[in-house]
Amino acid sequence: MSDDTNRDPARQKLAEEAARILRRLDEDPDDHAALKDRDAFLARGRDAKRIYAVMARGFAAAPKTLKDRDRRYSIGIVGGVLALLSLAFAWEPLKVAWLADYTTRLTTEIIELESGDTTTLDASSAIQEETNAKIRTVDLLKGAGFFDVDDDGRRFIVQAGNVTAEALGTAFEVMRLGDDVIITVADGIVEVTGAGQIRQLTEGKQIRVSPFETSIRSVEPDTVAGWRRDRLTIGGMTFGEVASVIERRMSGRVFVISNRLADDPVAGALDLSMPRNALKTLAATSGASVVEVSPYLTIIYSR
């Protein structure tokens, strides 16, 4: 789910593996199998070493009484460690802040671009704009945007990672979710280039472009970019991805402590006007628990 550890499945998996090894060594420092697993883990490379070091510092700082308690209590340890991990990989948000021409924080915002076009940015989103006499280009650096484009003779292109969406007189949404990009057309036609393919989408069509594949489905046009009205209609998304959309509206971080839970497909609709309630509603649909460790850290885990 990326610029963050909890949105990067590979790094989250490493963090969970490191936590398991540390728990085993805490119970028995001479556990030969655990020591062997630790050495094999560290041999995986730089990311593994950095994650293990941060996890070890956080685990060592936790009181023994808390370590000895059951999972409901020890979840706070893991949450605190993952918060440290988010700082360890904080260079990406700094890069986005440096490049962005427009950013939003905890709410959506309607922005008039230099090109004269109008876009609505979702909460915690950022774009960079470049305009000249022949082309209008917007780079969606993070989050999501809804673009309502007039045909003034110049091309209008939205770039999101390795995916481009060229508007042919249209209104459409572009959303970044980790390494994936979702483009949904509310009106008109959009030409999408990504994963070695070029596709034209019409009203009510949505494409999801992953590094190695694409998928297309139909949606109701009036649900496109529903976050503009504090409404999220969920389809074709996982639990972790929906949690990341809700997180954009929260002042703190949200971590899903389970790859299986994070990867579960979900469906339905959520009211985003009260993000914490939306998060609890999402968790309830999957039988998960939400723990607010602090106003700035929320943990979700399987029961």
Side-chain angles (χ1 to χ4, degrees):
M1 326 186 240
S2 143
D3 57 359
D4 301 306
T5 300
N6 71 312
R7 295 180 190 171
D8 185 329
R11 283 177 175 164
Q12 182 170 335
K13 185 177 180 180
L14 286 174
E16 292 174 350
E17 288 184 36
R20 287 194 292 269
I21 294 170
L22 285 163
R23 281 196 294 269
R24 290 163 60 194
L25 289 174
D26 184 68
E27 293 171 0
D28 182 3
D30 297 320
D31 184 335
H32 294 296
L35 290 169
K36 184 177 180 180
D37 289 344
R38 181 199 61 189
D39 293 342
F41 181 91
L42 295 175
R44 294 188 192 181
R46 182 181 178 185
D47 264 5
K49 291 178 181 177
R50 291 176 67 188
I51 287 174
Y52 190 91
V54 175
M55 294 291 285
R57 288 198 297 271
F59 199 83
K64 188 177 187 304
T65 54
L66 187 57
K67 293 178 187 176
D68 290 341
R69 295 183 184 181
D70 64 24
R71 187 181 182 191
R72 289 176 301 167
Y73 295 94
S74 63
I75 198 74
I77 301 174
V78 179
V81 172
L82 285 177
L84 291 175
L85 277 172
S86 70
L87 294 177
F89 297 100
W91 63 271
E92 186 68 22
L94 292 176
K95 183 179 75 171
V96 168
W98 175 263
L99 294 174
D101 293 318
Y102 305 95
T103 60
T104 55
R105 298 196 65 183
L106 303 182
T107 59
T108 61
E109 186 175 342
I110 298 174
I111 295 171
E112 184 172 341
L113 302 175
E114 183 181 335
S115 63
D117 300 287
T118 298
T119 183
T120 305
L121 284 186
D122 192 13
S124 300
S125 297
I127 58 174
Q128 182 183 49
E129 181 189 11
E130 185 174 343
T131 299
N132 58 41
K134 295 183 178 180
I135 190 169
R136 300 162 288 172
T137 303
V138 174
D139 190 349
L140 180 65
L141 301 171
K142 69 171 184 174
F146 181 78
F147 304 90
D148 193 353
V149 183
D150 292 326
D151 185 359
D152 67 357
R154 295 177 296 171
R155 298 171 66 194
F156 185 96
I157 296 175
V158 177
Q159 181 86 27
N162 294 321
V163 179
T164 62
E166 181 167 357
L168 306 176
T170 186
F172 64 105
E173 175 193 15
V174 181
M175 177 182 290
R176 298 190 67 159
L177 289 172
D179 293 328
D180 292 5
V181 177
I182 297 177
I183 298 167
T184 315
V185 181
D187 181 56
I189 301 174
V190 175
E191 184 173 272
V192 178
T193 303
Q197 301 180 32
I198 300 176
R199 305 275 188 115
Q200 283 199 349
L201 300 185
T202 55
E203 177 182 320
K205 294 296 183 181
Q206 180 184 88
I207 187 169
R208 180 172 185 140
V209 183
S210 300
F212 304 107
E213 63 180 354
T214 61
S215 59
I216 297 177
R217 70 187 194 100
S218 298
V219 301
E220 292 296 328
D222 61 0
T223 66
V224 178
W227 43 261
R228 292 174 294 160
R229 302 176 294 276
D230 287 328
R231 185 78 173 170
L232 180 65
T233 301
I234 306 166
M237 298 173 69
T238 66
F239 184 100
E241 290 169 342
V242 176
S244 73
V245 173
I246 298 172
E247 182 191 40
R248 293 176 192 159
R249 290 156 173 76
M250 300 174 64
S251 56
R253 299 302 317 280
V254 176
F255 291 97
V256 180
I257 311 299
S258 166
N259 283 339
R260 179 180 297 179
L261 176 61
D263 293 339
D264 277 349
V266 290
L270 290 173
D271 180 356
L272 299 177
S273 62
M274 300 183 69
R276 293 191 182 279
N277 287 347
L279 205 59
K280 292 175 182 178
T281 300
L282 173 66
T285 63
S286 297
S289 294
V290 178
V291 177
E292 295 182 12
V293 180
S294 78
Y296 306 103
L297 178 62
T298 301
I299 304 297
I300 306 175
Y301 65 97
S302 299
R303 293 173 184 168

